[in-house]
Amino acid sequence: AARAGRVEFRNVTFAYPGAEAPVLSDISFTAEPGQTVAIIGSTGAGKSSLLGLLPRLYDAASGEVLLDGVPVTRLDRAEITQRVAMVPQRPYLFSGTIGHNLRFGKPEATEQELWEALTVAQAADFVQDKAAGLDSRISQGGTNVSGGQRQRLCIARALVTEPKVYLFDDSFSALDVATDARLRRALKAKTADATVIIVGQRVSTIADADQILVLDKGRIVDRGTHEELLESSSTYQEIVES
Ligand code: DCP
């Protein structure tokens, strides 16, 4: 099967409606299928805004965001959601069972598929521990599970849809370092052909990425692997040391 899920940003500039100053300026990078690209930078640097341009939460003011060579503005929403799954910074669970929440993007998913996704997302244990398992109720907004459990359920929900592109917006921050590492190892094995773009705060979350983009005030100020950036980027060194 043809590999798909190539993401390219070409000189992308973006400002929120009504705002004068751009939040993103001249962003260019490519993420190939099988690669992990990580984005790091201080709060307000524009990381979430950058991710949101791919599923068209917003559209670029200038430049192009391409998915498999086609500008996303020329794709319809269904084509994008089929190929791109985003786990937002504050992932949302709706009132219903865990099973309902996991099947949101793929109603026909089998129980086995749900358990596979939960296993990768390091969420199988706590769902198993609940008397009702997949039929356990989630309250509106997921307030009856912890922040880390909510993140893992939302990661599992993304996995169920088997997208070509995963966007993780700080999705591992509520996990302890060991769970974070296990989850990303399992994810890497399960999604070997997918394109993964991770926004991370913790260096351990992003250090093994194929390419790290250092974002500062809406611009990519440095890029490279962890080792390269340790040598070359004072901004990255500051983040590592903070
Ligand atoms: N912004 C805005 N309107 C929104 C969202 C953000 O005006 N609906 C502004 C606030 C910031 C800038 O855009 O000044 C960048 O916000 P991001 O959320 O993209 O920044 P980060 O994701 O890098 O920040 P954080 O690490 O805090 O999530």
Side-chain angles (χ1 to χ4, degrees), residues 59-76:
D59 285 329
S62 63
E64 278 187 317
V65 178
L66 303 120
L67 181 58
D68 292 317
V70 180
V72 288
T73 49
R74 282 209 253 127
L75 297 170
D76 61 48

Side-chain angles (χ1 to χ4, degrees), residues 144-167:
N144 63 338
V145 294
S146 75
Q149 290 172 337
R150 196 150 61 229
Q151 283 190 327
R152 283 177 279 164
L153 289 175
C154 291
I155 291 166
R157 175 162 67 194
L159 283 159
V160 168
T161 65
E162 298 191 300
K164 303 292 184 195
V165 182
Y166 289 90
L167 306 176

